[in-house]
Amino acid sequence: MSDDSAEIDGKSGKQRVLLVTGMLGAGKTTALRVLEDLGWEIVDNFPIRLLDGLIESAPETDEGARPPLAIGFDSRTRGFNPDRIIAQVKALEGRGDIELSTLFLDCSSAELERRYNETRRRHALASDAPVSTGIRAEREVLAPLRRWAEMLIDTSGYTSNDLQRVIRERFASSASEEMTVTVSSFGFSRGMPPVADLVFDMRFLDNPHWDPELRPQTGQDPAVGDYIRKDPAFDEAFARIRDLLLLLLPRYQAQGKAYVHIAFGCTGGRHRSVFTAEQIAAALRQAGFSPTLLHRNLGSRAADLLEGGPRRER
């Protein structure tokens, strides 16, 4: 269970249960996906008449708490009856072990029709009629639930990213919103890292490998760092990379990106990339981030042994 889940359950001692419903095409699937990323247990298209049994079967954590549960349903769900659902929810609200609420996702009819036309999907309630007919029928059926719901989000003017951000703001604690940042070094001679969001090629810097005294050392040794810093291009390049990252990382976090991997490469992955990754990680810590630092090829052999000769490369 995530820290966010623990915080929610710890405050009241109750399991949090959220019913997520609304107009087809208004963003239910997106909302449930974000809740799952935040540590909620997700069940979609669930027959609400079986809700009591689902709550009873929720597994407990080692601390005895149950993770928050989000249940998605809509007009397509088997046995869908808004009045009966409301009556069942009212009965469940009398229980002392759960905290139950309802989220309704709405959207203007014009925007829903545009979305259906864009995706060329058929509305579930339209049959052979125009999409607008299905939307009107669905809105009429859902009206009692819309009035009943404690939370209403109108997604008419939202992009998918907008809705994701709103769901996080409403249901995530600061702990769960923390983004995992990894800073790594690697050697191009041994291949690119398989997963990296940002890759910086540091081979434009003078290469300590060609200094016999520095070759056995690494970017973690002061002498190698001094050598790299003497390159006239280093200070300006480092400052620009640092400033770019300090611009991008908060933006990634605002968009809900959970993991960011920043990779620095040089020929062998032992000198320039290592030193730069170390310095960037330190700068990010000063800015309030908590990066994990990894050096993929720090223990590898010198690059010229793999490349077949003493070709001088800057």
Side-chain angles (χ1 to χ4, degrees):
M1 185 173 65
S2 70
D3 292 339
D4 178 58
S5 306
E7 183 179 359
I8 291 172
D9 293 334
K11 288 179 179 178
S12 63
K14 301 179 181 181
Q15 181 188 22
R16 189 169 186 184
V17 178
L18 178 67
L19 305 181
V20 183
T21 188
M23 297 291 292
L24 296 172
K28 175 173 68 75
T29 300
T30 297
L32 290 173
R33 189 181 303 120
V34 175
L35 289 169
E36 185 175 23
D37 290 343
L38 296 175
W40 291 62
E41 184 179 0
I42 303 300
V43 181
D44 197 8
N45 297 322
F46 184 77
I48 298 299
R49 67 180 184 277
L50 304 177
L51 180 59
D52 299 65
L54 179 63
I55 293 175
E56 292 293 346
S57 65
E60 293 187 353
T61 65
D62 294 338
E63 293 77 20
R66 290 179 292 177
L69 175 64
I71 302 169
F73 64 96
D74 53 45
S75 57
R76 300 167 298 180
T77 303
R78 177 180 296 183
F80 180 80
N81 184 310
D83 293 327
R84 191 175 301 166
I85 291 171
I86 292 173
Q88 185 175 2
V89 171
K90 286 182 178 179
L92 285 170
E93 286 179 337
R95 293 180 48 158
D97 61 336
I98 64 172
E99 180 183 327
L100 193 148
S101 55
T102 303
L103 168 64
F104 190 97
L105 295 164
D106 202 358
C107 186
S108 70
S109 297
E111 174 61 17
L112 286 174
E113 188 169 355
R114 186 195 68 79
R115 293 177 186 179
Y116 272 98
N117 289 334
E118 188 176 78
T119 60
R120 299 183 180 180
R121 293 179 58 195
R122 186 181 298 276
H123 193 285
L125 302 186
S127 298
D128 294 329
V131 171
S132 58
T133 301
I135 292 173
R136 283 196 301 270
E138 182 187 17
R139 196 174 295 283
E140 182 176 347
V141 168
L142 290 176
L145 272 174
R146 189 183 190 280
R147 291 192 297 267
W148 168 261
E150 294 92 340
M151 292 172 281
L152 174 67
I153 298 178
D154 187 333
T155 67
S156 301
Y158 286 2
T159 64
S160 176
N161 284 342
D162 292 335
L163 177 57
Q164 291 178 47
R165 184 174 63 252
V166 170
I167 294 297
R168 288 189 183 89
E169 290 172 352
R170 293 204 181 193
F171 296 99
S173 70
S174 58
S176 65
E177 289 177 335
E178 186 174 350
M179 181 172 60
T180 299
V181 179
T182 300
V183 177
S184 72
S185 67
F186 71 94
F188 282 100
S189 63
R190 295 164 179 84
M192 293 275 290
V195 179
D197 299 286
L198 299 165
V199 177
F200 295 93
D201 184 349
M202 308 310 295
R203 289 177 293 183
F204 64 90
L205 296 172
D206 289 340
N207 192 353
H209 172 82
W210 301 113
D211 185 317
E213 294 184 1
L214 299 179
R215 183 176 304 177
Q217 302 183 46
T218 74
Q220 293 178 323
D221 293 306
V224 173
D226 292 341
Y227 181 96
I228 294 172
R229 284 189 181 279
K230 290 179 181 178
D231 189 312
F234 177 79
D235 285 341
E236 182 178 357
F238 177 84
R240 292 192 179 194
I241 293 171
R242 178 199 61 208
D243 293 346
L244 175 63
L245 294 176
L246 294 180
L247 170 68
L248 295 181
L249 290 179
R251 301 279 303 194
Y252 285 144
Q253 191 165 13
Q255 294 296 328
K257 192 169 178 61
Y259 303 93
V260 176
H261 181 185
I262 306 160
F264 293 90
C266 61
T267 303
R270 301 180 67 251
H271 296 110
R272 292 164 292 181
S273 60
V274 170
F275 177 73
T276 308
E278 295 268 351
Q279 297 302 307
I280 285 292
L284 293 182
R285 291 190 190 99
Q286 291 179 355
F289 295 93
S290 300
T292 298
L293 186 59
L294 301 174
H295 297 301
R296 192 187 74 179
N297 300 126
L298 192 59
S300 301
R301 293 176 298 162
D304 61 329
L305 297 179
L306 295 177
E307 296 173 353
R311 179 177 59 86
R312 182 175 181 84
E313 178 261 359
R314 288 178 60 88

